Amino acid sequence: VTWENSAITIALLLPLVGAAAIGLMPSHADRATRLAAVAITGVAFGVVTAITLGFDFGTGGQLQYELRVPWIDVLDTHYHVGVDGISLPLFFLTYLLTFLCAIYTLAHLPPPGKPKGFLALMLLLQTGMAGTFVVFDLVLFFVFWELVLVPMYFMIGIWGGPRREYASVKFFLYTLLGSVFMLVAFIAIFFQAGAAGIEAPWDIVVLSETGIEAARTFQIVAFAGVFLGFAIKVPMWPFHTWLPDAHTEAPTVGSVLLAGILLKMGTYGFVRIALPILPEGAVVFAPIIGVLAVIAIIYGALCCLAQTDVKRLIAFSSVGHMGFVMLGVASLTERGVQAALYGNIAHGVITGLLFFLAGSLHERYHTREMGEIGGGMLVKMPRYGALLVYTAIASLGLPGLAGFWGEFAALWAAINPAEVLADYEGLYLALVIGGAIGTVLTAAYFLWMIQRVSLGQPPRRWSEEALADVLPLEWAAWAPLALIILALGVWPRFVFGVQDPAVQRLVGFIGGS
Amino acid sequence: VQIDWAAIGPEIALAVTALVVLLTDSFLKGDAKRFTNPLTAVGVVIAIGLTLVIYGDGRETFDGMFVASDYALVFKLLLLGTFLAILAVSYHYFSEGRYFQGEYYFLLISAFVGMLIIPSARDLLLLFVALETVSIPAFVMAGLRKRDLYSSEAAIKFFLIGVLAVAAMLFGISFIYGATGSTALEDIAAAFAADATPDPLLMGAILLVIAGFGFKVSAVPFHFWAPDTYSGSPLPVTAMLAVASKAAGFAGLVAVTFIAFEPYAELWAPAMGVIAVITMTLGNLLALQQRDIVRLLAYSSVGQAGYVLVPFGLAQAGAVEINQLAVQAVLFYLIAYAVMNVGAFAVVIGVARHTGRRLISDFAGLGYRSPTMAITMTVFLLSLGGAVPLVGFWAKFVVFQAAASAAAYVLATAVVINTVLAFFYYLAVVRTMWFGEAEPGAGYIRPGRLLGGTAGVLAAVTLILGVFPAYQNLPVGDETAEPPDTVAAAES
């Protein structure tokens, strides 16, 4: 056992052990429980930071910290973990955001309180999310993929807003439907690969070396199954309807993790599994994905324009942003996949911070209705107001901040789709135009939101009231995200550079530029 | 005839225990009668020991009518393990209710003797006798709460439909005997294999035999007795009917379909596939409507039976690999199902012991009234639904695996849709327990160590088997100890 082959396992097990430890703490030890969660997530974040620092960025295309041991013999599945350049940013983000969520929970926890249950679920969720990004066995991938459902279900259902029961059940069943179809597709891939003589037919690395050798129809059908699972998670239009409900009703921490990490599992799945293993299926589905993505961009933006609730607006903005990410994927080029993965990270950081801000907004105003808040935040709470404006502007894609690069690069990639998509060049041009219109609409609704809640003078009912500006604990949770937004905007190679070798490896054989 | 006594050791141990319990009971008075329960448990443990002793020997006796292959022995261990759990949940129920304890345990053991024989039986007549040995004590046990009208209704309904099913089955057996001249399963298979185009009448006979087992496993349309019998019977009896008796029924169904009827798989397998889909869909749809937790579990068990029937729909004459996967899927599903379903019943009995009620709404706020009960129940329900990392997921997984190996994507899709459908009602209970408010004044629930412990152990098993599903150790599909079912498949 060396650090090299056990580091990831340690990082995955720490939250699980922590969840058990927190479950054993006495329920009246409120403060101690919250501090314990900060300590556990802090240590886990430390481990992942060490992994990141020890990562050889020059060979980011290769799996590092790899461990592969048999798990269920008769199924030929392995406990196969490792990180490459595609996994690493998402893996890191998972531990960072959960750590920040634990810090935030020191200050805020929605009714009915009970930090013990809440934090234990959050840690369980962390293992599920993190595992999804670092496992390279289809069965194991599915187990981690599904592991996030139950904790998130309880998080929304117990600590959520007024319509929590509806939202939690909808989230659970909707996601489940997609993922069970995905499971059947995985098993079909397993048999097909086994029949084609592949040695380790569950292994994602092996399967994505060359893609599966199978008839076109098989690839299309299997891709359809996998597509359902991932598309619902992303979510792509028209499978997005669980998202606004789940995001809006979830407690702040739940929304942050949903937007920041859970949605990324979908795009990650497309890039890691669907495209490389089923390349022919991908070529057939790419134009469809592109069309759905652009519909999502425009539809999401139009929905945002109609919202009056800040949190719901941010939720719908996710639909549009994930549309850009999927547009990048649909180009099937290296550049597009890069854009998608970059957009993933950027959206995770920005929208994560936005949901934090929306949560604190509710803590102060006890409403999220823009009409009731009525503006003047920059006067009333200058620091908070400034942070909201900053993040909203980052989200709408201002150059120099993180949101810009993902959208810009996705549109750029879609102008030049992969050679295998040459027949669809006209379509892709139309998609780029649609996406560009979407960026304008995105800017419109965010600016409109800023105008309605931040600018002007606060209405009388709020000017009398003492509303606290950003608390020290909130600074601690938010400042890292705000800094990352700036850093990624100024120097996008932070992420692009890490991913580059791994993406080249994955996309090379589809035939893109 | 030379009899291999070791091969029938477990059955003999149970039969002796039954007599000892009946005799001891008549010398015990009042409260002391409750000691028949641990006495029974001792007999079961001995039977488990005797099963383990002959494991791996591959014995058979009575001219091959009774085989103790590893496959059959795993089934017996499953049944005996379930038996222990049922004894644990019976203890308080029967001693506090002052029901007929001695008689109950005697009947229970008798039924299990029949169940143990079924996986070993390789002859239609022995199967029939074994099935009756299960059914007749079960009719009586269903009506044990004889002052309760519902219990009487449960027994009468169970009896009438049961007798009808058995009559149909016997009728079918007589035709098959007439056509093939034998009741031994392998001889029947050989005769069938020689005759490629069966008489339509013979097809009817095959379906009649399958229908007889369909009653036992509560497959639609032979499921009508299940909900009323389940909800009227004493709760531990319900657990027995829903798990053990059903598993035994499936063991018999495996034997007749995959051994005797295997050459005609192309004819009956599609019918089984259709029955599977109808069973799971109807069971799940009706479960959605229930307000009584026992009725919900009853319909859920109908739905679950549908999933177990799927592998039967995949059977193909001569396709050894697919048939092996199918039989393995059935066995593993039943193991998983036994663990999680008995667990769910343990919680229901524990809560009902305290509150005396069993509506789903009575579970409101259980998360705060008894966290252990609520957590274990959540584990069982999520596992029944098929969530990771619980054993129920792997049960579904093996079914999907078997379906994919036979390229039966329509069946797989039906299972997918039903999985989601079933989660609606499993989650409804979970929601009530955790998100619902308890009635004002409702206090803490203490189910007692025995019930709490049983639920806890079963929940732990659900989780452990969920992380390490030990089904590579199942004898089915193993080269060294190939089960007779697949031997027959290979021969034909």
Side-chain angles (χ1 to χ4, degrees), chain B residues 25-108:
Chain B
D25 176 63
S26 50
F27 290 103
L28 294 174
K29 289 210 165 53
D31 261 357
K33 281 190 189 289
R34 66 175 192 267
F35 290 114
T36 46
N37 180 304
L39 192 62
T40 312
V42 171
V44 177
V45 171
I46 292 173
I48 291 177
L50 290 175
T51 314
L52 291 174
V53 166
I54 55 170
Y55 191 84
D57 291 357
R59 291 163 186 270
E60 61 174 60
T61 183
F62 298 112
D63 283 340
M65 195 192 258
F66 187 97
V67 298
S69 63
D70 288 355
Y71 162 76
L73 292 179
V74 168
F75 245 116
K76 290 184 200 204
L77 289 175
L78 159 66
L79 291 166
L80 289 168
T82 312
F83 196 176
L84 274 187
I86 286 171
L87 283 177
V89 300
S90 296
Y91 180 73
H92 289 301
Y93 191 92
F94 281 91
S95 63
E96 282 162 15
R98 299 261 176 164
Y99 298 115
F100 313 90
Q101 294 182 69
E103 291 84 342
Y104 166 68
Y105 291 114
F106 169 73
L107 290 167
L108 193 62

Side-chain angles (χ1 to χ4, degrees), chain B residues 287-350:
Chain B
L288 284 174
Q289 321 285 328
Q290 304 307 316
R291 280 189 228 134
D292 179 325
I293 186 86
V294 180
R295 288 187 81 87
L296 179 130
L297 286 176
Y299 279 109
S300 126
S301 93
V302 174
Q304 300 276 343
Y307 306 139
V308 191
L309 283 169
V310 167
F312 292 92
L314 308 170
Q316 291 175 18
V320 181
E321 208 165 296
I322 290 174
N323 290 355
Q324 273 188 358
L325 265 179
V327 172
Q328 190 180 30
V330 171
L331 181 56
F332 187 74
Y333 203 107
L334 289 173
I335 292 173
Y337 172 72
V339 174
M340 55 207 186
N341 219 33
V342 176
F345 272 106
V347 175
V348 171
I349 293 171

Side-chain angles (χ1 to χ4, degrees), chain A residues 356-396:
Chain A
F356 269 137
L357 291 166
S360 286
L361 186 83
H362 190 255
E363 295 285 338
R364 289 170 172 77
Y365 287 92
H366 302 288
T367 177
R368 294 185 306 244
E369 285 295 317
M370 287 187 262
E372 288 187 42
I373 294 168
M377 209 180 280
L378 281 167
V379 178
K380 186 72 194 166
M381 302 183 291
R383 293 192 190 88
Y384 179 91
L387 203 53
L388 183 65
V389 171
Y390 169 78
T391 321
I393 286 178
S395 186
L396 68 78

